[in-house]
Amino acid sequence: MKSQLLYPLLIVIASSSYGVLSTIIKVAMGHGFTTSEAVTSQYIVGFVLALILFLFTRKSIPKINKSGIITILAAGALTANTGMIYGLALNYLTASLGVVLFFQFTWIGLFIDCMIHKRLPNRFEALSLLFLFGGTLLAAGVLDTDLSTIPWQGWVYGLLAATSFAIFIQVNSRQIEGMSTITRTFLMSLVAVIVISIFLSPEIVWNGTLFKTNLWIFGIILGIFGIILPILLFSIAVPKVGGALSSILSAMELPVAIIASVIILHETLTILQLFGIVLVLIGMVLPTVLAQRKNAA
């Protein structure tokens, strides 16, 4: 029973760490840094932290078969890709609508899992998605947003970011024989930082912005919550839980994002948003509880 709860809990913790990123980036922007600089610092510092963990726990990289190499390359690239596309989406979307569009990874991930395994969603998953979708609309305050003013680019980038993250969860569900979780985290962060350095702001390293300003502080926070914790915990838990349930459990990101913005940015929280958070939590826990009761019966 403990092992059945442990892996879902690790996914909840990993997705919760993603939930604080937008708030930390907003704080960094308040200190005069651009979104590109903040995101780049996240991946650079995250890679350095992953490298330190790797050096202290292992001295060499094990031999990896072709399938393992493809998994590492795809997962690392998707990690970077999700961050970059979501950043583009926020140039066109309000924060609330951006969260809603990104949150569509829940049903997209379930849809992909059903396609891969050639099955239909079970009734637990379908019921969970109803709670998640309704809760998302309320929690993010979409009912107060004029959708007619949103540019089409925002919709496209928002859904692409959601799709990228959903695919990342599926790819990360593949086990790699003979590779430790820390080694996997290090290699994925290496791929991610290479991709980020090509498309965003690698110049923060040589122009002094990263180390001569307090950007490095934000880099450490973002690196821990955006690279180390999620990649490490997802790598441990997703292969055990599966892509479909992992997508649903990752819904914890939304309540955490809203609560972090209220506590740190002092944004208001309405009764409808609070009710929406409760619905999201119910939708997230529902499939796990019902499945365990079914197995117990």
Side-chain angles (χ1 to χ4, degrees), residues 18-217:
Y18 273 136
V20 304
L21 295 183
S22 59
T23 297
I24 301 302
I25 289 176
K26 286 184 179 180
V27 174
M29 293 174 66
H31 283 72
F33 301 108
T34 66
T35 304
S36 178
E37 290 172 338
V39 173
T40 304
S41 73
Q42 168 188 330
Y43 284 87
I44 291 176
V45 176
F47 165 70
V48 172
L49 294 175
L51 175 61
I52 293 172
L53 281 175
F54 172 74
L55 293 177
F56 272 96
T57 58
R58 197 180 188 97
K59 295 182 179 180
S60 61
I61 298 176
K63 292 183 178 179
I64 311 173
N65 57 30
K66 183 178 178 181
S67 176
I69 292 174
I70 293 174
T71 298
I72 291 295
L73 290 175
L78 285 165
T79 300
N81 188 60
T82 301
M84 290 188 297
I85 297 177
Y86 188 56
L88 288 173
L90 292 178
N91 290 327
Y92 300 96
L93 302 172
T94 61
S96 59
L97 187 55
V99 170
V100 169
L101 287 180
F102 183 74
F103 204 68
Q104 302 313 304
F105 73 80
T106 50
W107 68 264
I108 294 174
L110 178 58
F111 177 73
I112 293 173
D113 188 83
C114 290
M115 284 182 49
I116 292 174
H117 297 96
K118 298 179 180 179
R119 67 180 182 88
L120 294 174
N122 60 48
R123 65 178 185 274
F124 301 149
E125 294 168 340
L127 183 60
S128 175
L129 288 181
L130 288 177
F131 277 95
L132 291 176
F133 186 73
T136 301
L137 294 179
L138 295 175
V142 174
L143 299 181
D144 299 324
T145 303
D146 183 5
L147 302 182
S148 64
T149 62
I150 306 299
W152 65 267
Q153 294 94 330
W155 296 98
V156 172
Y157 286 135
L159 291 174
L160 283 177
T163 303
S164 178
F165 187 64
I167 297 174
F168 162 74
I169 292 177
Q170 290 294 327
V171 170
N172 215 30
S173 67
R174 299 177 182 177
Q175 294 185 340
I176 301 178
E177 293 295 330
M179 178 177 291
S180 69
T181 305
I182 290 179
T183 301
R184 182 168 177 160
T185 302
F186 162 66
L187 293 176
M188 286 172 59
S189 66
L190 172 61
V191 174
V193 78
I194 291 173
V195 174
I196 287 292
S197 297
I198 293 174
F199 293 101
L200 290 187
S201 304
E203 66 273 9
I204 64 173
V205 175
W206 58 78
N207 68 12
T209 302
L210 180 57
F211 301 109
K212 294 182 180 180
T213 68
N214 59 358
L215 180 59
W216 66 272
I217 298 176

Side-chain angles (χ1 to χ4, degrees), residues 256-274:
V256 170
I258 294 173
I259 293 172
S261 67
V262 170
I263 295 175
I264 298 176
L265 301 177
H266 307 294
E267 295 184 359
T268 58
L269 180 66
T270 66
I271 297 298
L272 277 179
Q273 286 180 301
L274 187 60

